[in-house]
Amino acid sequence: MMNIEDVRNHALSLPGCKEDMPYGPDWLIFRIEGKIFLHIWLEAPEPTCAVKLPPETGQALKQHYDGVRPAYHLNKTHWNDIYLEQIDETLIKQWIEQSYELVVSNLPKKLRAPYEQK
């Protein structure tokens, strides 16, 4: 099972990831080239993180897993809350990476090039 620190460390292991707290001390935000791919609300009643996924992927996950729900404070079409105590670590890491890759894929080509898989 992953905890908030595990999620943070995994996000920071991704190339070019930057962490900040623009909404105050109870939110951690992870960005690639200024674009957010992961939110962690430190005051959440249960340990969660929010990832950005294609709408059809997020919808399918919400239907299949009780631990995936529409993001509480974010656009519910694109953002999904992952309840860390209910989802396997491998899946959480996979979804964080999918969120990162989705954001990278939408960067301008010049910014995207260093992060694309060769």
Side-chain angles (χ1 to χ4, degrees):
M1 183 178 356
M2 289 187 86
N3 61 35
I4 296 295
E5 194 62 28
D6 295 331
V7 170
R8 179 180 178 269
N9 289 335
H10 185 68
L12 290 172
S13 76
L14 299 171
C17 176
K18 302 272 193 266
E19 172 187 41
D20 63 29
M21 300 173 102
Y23 311 133
D26 58 341
W27 282 92
L28 294 178
I29 307 302
F30 300 85
R31 304 174 189 260
I32 178 70
E33 295 295 337
K35 302 293 183 182
I36 298 171
F37 71 92
L38 177 68
H39 290 83
I40 298 175
W41 180 29
L42 298 173
E43 300 299 320
E46 296 179 61
T48 61
C49 67
V51 294
K52 186 175 190 177
L53 297 170
E56 60 280 0
T57 302
Q59 187 61 36
L61 293 176
K62 286 177 244 186
Q63 291 174 353
H64 190 70
Y65 297 99
D66 289 338
V68 180
R69 300 180 199 150
Y72 182 64
H73 286 296
L74 303 164
N75 179 311
K76 292 171 185 11
T77 302
H78 298 280
W79 288 92
N80 306 274
D81 277 342
I82 310 299
Y83 286 74
L84 303 181
E85 294 174 349
Q86 299 178 35
I87 301 292
D88 180 73
E89 177 177 341
T90 304
L91 291 173
I92 296 169
K93 287 180 177 180
Q94 177 183 327
W95 297 335
I96 292 169
E97 291 165 15
Q98 284 179 341
S99 182
Y100 171 88
E101 290 165 6
L102 175 65
V103 172
V104 166
S105 74
N106 288 310
L107 292 172
K109 188 175 183 178
K110 183 178 178 181
L111 295 176
R112 185 175 65 232
Y115 307 104
E116 292 182 322
Q117 300 293 330
K118 304 280 188 234

